[in-house]
Amino acid sequence: QRAVLKFAQYTGAASIAGRFTPGTFTNQITKQFREPRILVVTDPRTDAQAVKEASYVNLPVIALCDSESPLAHVDVAVPCNNKGKYSI
């Protein structure tokens, strides 16, 4: 989570560190509703709900992928090691 927060701080982006609440991109009634222009995820398997919702609203998805990561609904896959504690 620290790497995500640092990235958001230095780039000026909004971040969702921790658990993703379903409906954040699709349910306009909730307080947590957001309309991002791009979604960057560190693991498409862990963040499957966010990637799936991004496909509903036509958000481009950039994912840091391992060799075993699912690439469904991922637009740009960056091959890297995303399993270790210090890898991201």
Side-chain angles (χ1 to χ4, degrees), residues 8-78:
Q9 177 187 0
Y10 289 120
T11 60
S15 67
I16 301 174
R19 186 180 182 280
F20 176 78
T21 305
T24 302
F25 301 146
T26 56
N27 190 357
Q28 297 179 2
I29 298 171
T30 62
K31 294 179 184 176
Q32 298 172 346
F33 176 71
R34 295 185 184 186
E35 291 184 280
R37 290 182 276 174
I38 193 166
L39 179 67
V40 179
V41 296
T42 55
D43 187 7
R45 186 176 311 276
T46 306
D47 301 323
Q49 180 68 31
V51 172
K52 189 174 181 181
E53 283 192 25
S55 71
Y56 293 157
V57 293
N58 295 325
L59 278 176
V61 177
I62 298 174
L64 304 177
C65 296
D66 199 2
S67 60
E68 298 173 357
S69 297
L71 297 177
H73 309 299
V74 173
D75 297 312
V76 178
V78 179

